[in-house]
Amino acid sequence: MQEGGVWDRDIQGLKNIGPKRVLLLKRMGISTVGELLYYFPRDYHDRSRTRPAAACGSGERATVRGVVVGGEEKRPRRGLTVTRLFIDDGAGRTVAVWYNQPFIRRQLPVGTPVLVTGRVRRYGGEVQVQVSDYEAGDPDEPVSAGRIVPIYPLTEGISQRLVRSLVKSALDRWGERLEEFIPGDMLSRYVLPEIGPALRAVHCPDSFPELKMARRRFIFEEFLIHQTVISLIRKKVRARPKAHAYPENSLLEKIFLDRLPFRLTPGQSRAWGEISRDLQSPYPMNRLLQGDVGSGKTVVCALAMLKAAGAGLQAALMAPTEILADQHRKNIAGYFDPMGIRVELFTGGMKKKDREALIEKIKSGEARVVVGTHALIQEDVKFKNLALVIIDEQHRFGVRQRAAVRQKGPNPDVLVMTATPIPRTMAMTLYGDLDASVIKGVPPGRKPVETVVCPRSQAGLVYGEIKKEVSRGRQAYVVCPMVEESEKTDLQAAAELREYLAGGPLAGCRVELLHGRMGAGDKERIMSGFREGLIDVLVSTTVVEVGVDVPNATVMAVVDAHRFGLAQLHQLRGRVGRGGHSARCYLISDAGGGTAASSRLEAIRTISDGFELAEKDLELRGPGELFGSRQWGEMPYRIADPVRDQGALKAAAEEARRLVEGDPGLMKPGNRMLAREIHVRFGGFNFLPVG
Ligand code: ADP
Ligand code: MG
């Protein structure tokens, strides 16, 4: 197949679809045939066994096969249309029911053979199916039973039917022509089906065992591609010495450390030792610096930047948001200003004139230390001699972005910092191209936050404690959970809780509400009110997770704590106990003993170290459960789950390592197709070692 193959081919060639739908599909991430073929179903309905509705129990989910023999439409009230089609399923008459889909009657006229899936209900002598999914055949050709039907994730305006038929055309046109790219010995070692049959089976499986085999292939494929890229980057970074060098043990570093109002913790010293060894090495650094919130990562990265600035080279620090970039600039400038090193801030919100002036200074090399958002590397900013790039929070910063950063300077040193504890085994595989440093422990003098789990019936006592703390001049957070699907009701629940607290248990305290749906201005007003002590108690949804630093806050109550993940609870708890006062975190929950939720709450109650918690989290998650992958940075997977599929991940990582070790250029005939696939999927980035 020609360069790019299905990944280059527009889906518009498959079928006549209008521009509006093309746009919607594009938003779903489907513009090419490749993206369509890799748009995997989120679920499957088993229609292979159909039964007459009368044979099903009420409330049961069933698929009924029959012929439309009549129908009617009802409008019981404004805005509600009920379409009822009578279906002869061989054993009797079943009523299939649709809501607000008046076009169904036209689509399924009398005489049409149909397959309807949904919940069975008995209603005044009738047997009904509340249809969630259906399929129609030709009058001469009954619909095929014996099918397992794919259910795709959708957006409004795009139907299952459309996606299914697009996928079908893609499979018919391209399925047989796809070339295998997983080396043959791996396919046989792990007993995996080839690409063509696997794609057909993942979209239109004939049986569940066949589906399982196909899914295993794609899970392995995703891990193999990602792990191969990681191994290639690792190899490539070590293949070419860097152009710059830093002086050893500079005087500046000694002055900097002497001026600090504290001494580095053992964890900081060890991490700095590893980083400075990398900087001193002839090959570029490619390192992940992990450290819990408050472990003191900033001072370590400032030391690295100082080394660059001191050598007349440039260093850039990138943060995910403008607010965080600004915060970093202030902190770093606090260290560097007295030493006469200017720290520049580059953000999207700059005035045009300032921006141009700064770009000029970056180009000339005059600006040595630049802090900014990701715009700093994404946009057309040219550095004179960029030696060091530091990325704060690796969220959304995958291998692709890491590779892009490398191309910003002549082989710069790269340090990625994260405060999200990642279990060690996961970090080793997901960030395997990076060496890892961990800052263990926090600076001395911090008291751990006492964590108490209590049932809802004792919430009153918790609010009593909060009131007491407020009377001592302290502040508190009350956090209630937010569920994505129903932000509106959450807002209502949070607002009601605030009303209740302000009028009852916390009467006399200044209680305010902070919610994710508020405008930025309102949020900022509430936050600064809390920071300045004009608000005593902040009732909020999880927005307090993000970068809030109010040392006077000493109590946190989390309502329905079982609805939060361990990582989230850990982040939330980290908001209190930042000042000199002792702090408490109440986890209010009725989660019963022995449940997964109660084990999680027990873990957070007894463990204060983020890394230990991350390991525990991994242990507590059963196979197949969803996990908080979003907090672990960019997950380049559509179907694989590094927790559920740990075995496959390990195997693929091992295979990738061996592959790249034995064939660093992926030049051997059996590996060339994989090299090409990687090249195509990663947008042409060249991961292969070059001279
Ligand atoms: P994070 O790792 O979350 O980025 P920071 O670098 O912001 O943490 O440090 C948190 C706080 O701890 C800062 O106020 C910093 O000045 C202070 N700090 C850092 N290192 C030490 C230390 N070794 N001893 C005492 N305080 C420290
Ligand atoms: Mg930080």
Side-chain angles (χ1 to χ4, degrees), residues 297-298 328 392:
K297 294 182 290 298
T298 317
H328 269 311
D392 188 20

Coordinates of all heavy atoms in Angstrom, one line a residue, residues 297-298 328 392, ligand 2:
K297 N 10.1 20.7 44.5 CA 10.7 20.4 43.2 C 11.3 21.7 42.6 O 12.3 21.7 41.9 CB 9.7 19.9 42.3 CG 9.2 18.5 42.7 CD 8.2 17.9 41.7 CE 6.9 18.6 41.7 NZ 6.2 18.5 43.0
T298 N 10.6 22.9 43.0 CA 11.0 24.1 42.3 C 12.5 24.5 42.5 O 13.2 24.9 41.6 CB 10.1 25.3 42.8 OG1 8.8 24.8 42.9 CG2 10.2 26.5 41.9
H328 N 5.3 30.2 38.9 CA 6.7 29.8 38.7 C 7.7 30.9 38.5 O 8.7 30.9 39.1 CB 6.8 28.8 37.5 CG 6.6 27.4 37.9 ND1 7.2 26.8 38.9 CD2 5.8 26.4 37.3 CE1 6.8 25.5 39.0 NE2 6.0 25.3 38.0
D392 N 6.8 21.3 33.5 CA 6.1 21.1 34.8 C 4.8 20.4 34.5 O 4.0 20.9 33.8 CB 5.9 22.4 35.6 CG 5.4 22.1 37.0 OD1 5.6 21.0 37.5 OD2 4.8 23.0 37.6
Ligands
MG2 MG 5.4 22.9 42.1

